[in-house]
Amino acid sequence: MPKRTRNFISPDGHWRISTSKGAIMESRCQCSQADKSKEENEATCNLCRYTKELAELPNLPEEVYADNVLVIEHDTSGTVIEFNALDALRGVDCKNDPVKVAYAGKWKASRSSKTTADAMVVLQPYDWTYSTAYKGTIPENIKEESTSEVIDKKSLMVREPILFTETINLFADDFGDNGAVNMTVRIRVMPTAFFVLQRLFVRVDGVLIRIVDTRVWHRFGQNSIIREHSSHEKNVPELEAEIRKKSGPASIAKIMYNEEQLHLLVPYLNIEGPHIDKLVLPDSSTATSQ
């Protein structure tokens, strides 16, 4: 699958939105012999780059979309905001295994190599659900402030024309058929604003379900962006009992295992947040002087 790139300029002319989508990253090194002879800091294939940058992470997810990226660039301030798999995976806990379940060791062992040395590396504790608090890659020239402002959800419900929309997969895994994790980012641009939803969905069968959302909203003409981050979670036995009580046993599969309709699931989960901050864009004079 060749990489596909799309570009869009916002109606106010100040934002350039770019998306790239490609195939799942290869599981084997794609470097030529000439590439391998280069210095370590030279560009290499995606697998080598991820292995180097995420050296402490024992395993990568089964599906990593290394070429997939959302880039939002502001022309006058030079601000560039990105959403990509590499930075998302930097937030995974490489030292601790927070989900202690009976099949975790078996799952890890099935993915380790035959050698004792490799098995010891792969079997070190880490968060194999690939949960991350990643909220996008924000440049240093943006000032982050706590705020009482919120995303104008009423305006998002107005039937405005959708000028540009895209959904990008970042990574996914099925935990050896014991659940699922996937991280996606979606953007839509209307005449008055753009809105981004990045969602991490985790389901460990029989154990827990977790949804971590980051929402980014900007109204054109303003000098700031509102970012909202929240986490929803509940263990499966409690979740099944609550769904059975409120909606009947026949609804359990429909609500818990339909990833296309997570809005049915979210009300049943415990929520942490939302944590809201304002991303203040530097003015053009500040950006120019930096």
Side-chain angles (χ1 to χ4, degrees), residues 55-218:
E56 294 187 356
L57 187 62
N59 278 310
L60 294 173
E62 290 179 343
E63 298 180 8
V64 176
Y65 296 86
D67 290 327
N68 289 12
V69 61
L70 167 63
V71 180
I72 305 172
E73 183 176 1
H74 188 236
D75 64 347
T76 55
S77 70
T79 297
V80 179
I81 299 172
E82 286 194 23
F83 294 84
N84 63 75
L86 180 61
D87 288 339
L89 289 169
R90 294 185 202 276
V92 174
D93 189 338
C94 301
K95 303 296 184 183
N96 301 288
D97 181 354
V99 183
K100 302 289 186 180
V101 291
Y103 56 79
K106 180 179 179 181
W107 174 81
K108 293 177 187 174
S110 70
R111 293 176 58 146
S112 64
S113 85
K114 302 280 186 186
T115 67
T116 303
D118 286 343
M120 289 176 64
V121 172
V122 173
L123 291 173
Q124 79 177 56
Y126 73 102
D127 186 355
W128 50 269
T129 69
Y130 300 104
S131 294
T132 172
Y134 179 63
K135 298 185 287 186
T137 304
I138 308 298
E140 294 182 357
N141 68 343
I142 279 191
K143 184 179 180 182
E144 300 183 29
E145 299 179 348
S146 58
T147 182
S148 58
E149 295 182 44
V150 297
I151 292 175
D152 187 351
K153 293 184 172 62
K154 288 184 178 180
S155 72
L156 293 176
M157 297 173 67
V158 174
R159 291 184 176 273
E160 285 191 284
I162 305 298
L163 305 179
F164 179 87
T165 184
E166 187 68 276
T167 300
I168 297 171
N169 296 313
L170 297 184
F171 63 82
D173 200 302
D174 69 358
F175 309 148
D177 292 326
N178 288 298
V181 60
N182 59 70
M183 193 170 205
T184 60
V185 58
R186 300 175 181 177
I187 183 169
R188 61 175 175 167
V189 184
M190 293 76 67
T192 59
F194 68 71
F195 176 70
V196 177
L197 171 61
Q198 176 190 265
R199 170 162 285 172
L200 174 77
F201 173 76
V202 177
R203 188 190 75 246
V204 182
D205 291 342
V207 181
L208 67 84
I209 287 181
R210 175 184 297 138
I211 298 173
V212 182
D213 286 343
T214 297
R215 292 174 168 86
V216 174
W217 176 75
H218 171 73

Side-chain angles (χ1 to χ4, degrees), residues 12-32:
D12 67 350
H14 292 302
W15 292 91
R16 179 185 178 90
I17 296 162
S18 303
T19 61
S20 294
K21 297 174 70 172
I24 298 170
M25 184 172 70
E26 298 86 352
S27 59
R28 294 185 178 181
C29 176
Q30 300 297 304
C31 296
S32 65

Side-chain angles (χ1 to χ4, degrees), residues 36-74:
K36 292 180 180 180
S37 65
K38 292 180 181 179
E39 296 293 329
E40 288 188 2
N41 60 350
E42 292 284 342
T44 53
C45 72
N46 281 328
L47 179 60
C48 289
R49 183 165 61 95
Y50 270 63
T51 301
K52 178 181 177 181
E53 295 289 334
L54 302 170
E56 294 187 356
L57 187 62
N59 278 310
L60 294 173
E62 290 179 343
E63 298 180 8
V64 176
Y65 296 86
D67 290 327
N68 289 12
V69 61
L70 167 63
V71 180
I72 305 172
E73 183 176 1
H74 188 236

